[in-house]
Amino acid sequence: MGPREECFDAVVVGAGPAGATASTIIALRGHRVLLLEKETLPLYKVGESLLPSTIHGICSILGVTEELKAANFVHKLGGTFRWGKNKEPWTFSFAASSEFDGPTSHAYQVERMKFDKILVDNARRKGVDVREQHAVSDVIVEDDRVVGVQVTDDRGQPVTVRAKYVLDGSGHGTWLAKHVGKRVDSKFFRNLAVFGYFRNGKRLPPPRSGNIFCAAFEKGWIWYIPLSSELTSVGVVIGQEHAGVLHKDKQVAFAELLDQCEPIRELLTDAQRVTEGPYGEVRVRKDFSYCHTAFWRPGLALIGDAACFIDPVFSSGVHLATYSGLLAARSVNTWLAGGVSEQRAFTEFQNRYLREYKYFHDFLVAFYDLEQDLDSYYWSARKVLSAPDAGAEAFIRLVGGIGTGEKLSAGSRAAAPTSELSKHLFPGAFGASDMYMDGDESSDGRYGDAELRDAFMQNLTAEAVQMQSQAIGVPMQSRPMFENGLVPSADGFEWAVPAPPRVFRRAPVLVAR
């Protein structure tokens, strides 16, 4: 007698943010979805600092906004950096502009075990069949198409699960991804991270007390993330060339690295490292950035870290995970509904996810240049905009995403440019008007090449505006981002073929005779 066999519309491997997001959105379309996790939940995960697009866009679409509020996570109003030529800290803020109120002008610092549990429990409520301690052992391929997976269940018994589509959200350690292209490591970001947790670390002065603080030092940079009034996540990211310092006891190496960065050393003056429970271990992770040569093949798509990973200095990990889950779920839903071909639906998924990854990657290549000053950025902004503006005017306009051309229609309200709405969603994000150094109106903004900044901010904020609009039920005027591309459906759960542009013919001129 062979293994038990089951059938689903979709199987998602890995119950992290990518898998939970994708499985929930597919289930919300009425499809039968199986979410498989080889471990027992909740799992410890690093990467606790989130972005507004995740909280106010994707999490709203998933329906967990109130649960996130009730969890009492630390509010993150922006980020504070000790970075660049000027060694004094500077800050960017999500704070609302004077033209908008600010309900979406923050993100959260989260304990991932709690955050991930909220997403998985929500998936269960929305109809996803979630199974823990179920390990995928192989994929089933027929006629060059993935049609399911072989599973070992929580009793050690083999199960054959056939599915119309398989999504791999099993993280950077995935082996399923070998069936889809090859992993290519970034030539630039070849880093290692050593990290742990502290109690009673100091906080930045209000209102920045909930900010992530990132401080560059000789060997790399350090993150400092307040997870509660007492608990702080602290991690050191160093280049591969400094890996030798970790050959000694990792706890000793961690302490020595932290001691080499004066502002972090000051924040940890009265702190005690946690030595028990899930936060009691000093961990080391190979933090190489990478990207697969392809994100999908017939029947199988890669989401989250299974597809790509980028240096975490801008807290992009959970954003990219949930965003890719949303994109892949749209493609699965559209293909299952017969809306467009698999090729077209998943080409849209890959193009959008790859574009988002590349903007972070290319922007960070410029950001890692620590020898720039603010005047260089002002000049670059004037150059890219071909603007004669003095001082910071062109810079503010550029990093604020002006000129995207997207429109929002909110019932009887006049349509607002995306650049204006993005102030509401990402108000002041990376904006010079909200960046400052303590006691000084000037700032070292730490941006790279102007063209990269312009493209990064325009596309990132435009997509966030679209997700937020769908979450609150506001119709969005949308245009394809690629040739022969698709646009999100009104509710954001599928792709739609864009309507052809309207052609207005000039009425004939009547001449009296």
Side-chain angles (χ1 to χ4, degrees), residues 213-229:
F213 178 46
C214 297
F217 73 118
E218 183 181 0
K219 290 185 174 67
W221 64 276
I222 299 175
W223 76 70
Y224 191 92
I225 304 173
L227 297 179
S228 70
S229 59

Side-chain angles (χ1 to χ4, degrees), residues 4 64 143 280 285 508:
R4 185 174 84 252
V64 296
D143 298 326
R285 170 174 167 168

Side-chain angles (χ1 to χ4, degrees), residues 305-319:
D305 287 356
C308 54
F309 173 79
I310 188 61
D311 184 277
V313 68
F314 275 116
S315 308
S316 56
V318 174
H319 161 70

Side-chain angles (χ1 to χ4, degrees), residues 82-83 190-194 215-222 236-246 248 253 256-261 368 370:
R82 204 283 296 270
W83 203 282
R190 304 175 72 84
N191 299 327
L192 299 169
V194 53
F217 73 118
E218 183 181 0
K219 290 185 174 67
W221 64 276
I222 299 175
V236 184
V237 179
I238 59 176
Q240 188 181 24
E241 66 274 17
H242 299 299
V245 302
L246 299 177
K248 62 184 72 177
E256 290 179 353
L257 288 167
L258 294 176
D259 193 56
Q260 294 173 29
C261 185
Y368 262 69
L370 301 179

Side-chain angles (χ1 to χ4, degrees), residues 361-405:
H361 181 279
D362 295 348
F363 181 75
L364 287 172
V365 169
F367 187 78
Y368 262 69
D369 180 356
L370 301 179
E371 297 302 321
Q372 298 297 312
D373 59 32
L374 191 56
D375 285 341
S376 298
Y377 305 128
Y378 288 167
W379 181 85
S380 295
R382 291 196 295 271
K383 179 182 178 182
V384 75
L385 295 180
S386 300
D389 301 337
E393 290 304 312
F395 178 82
I396 295 171
R397 289 167 50 209
L398 189 150
V399 299
I402 289 176
T404 60

Side-chain angles (χ1 to χ4, degrees), residues 316-333:
S316 56
V318 174
H319 161 70
L320 289 172
T322 55
Y323 179 57
S324 66
L326 171 67
L327 297 178
R330 286 174 178 169
S331 297
V332 170
N333 286 339

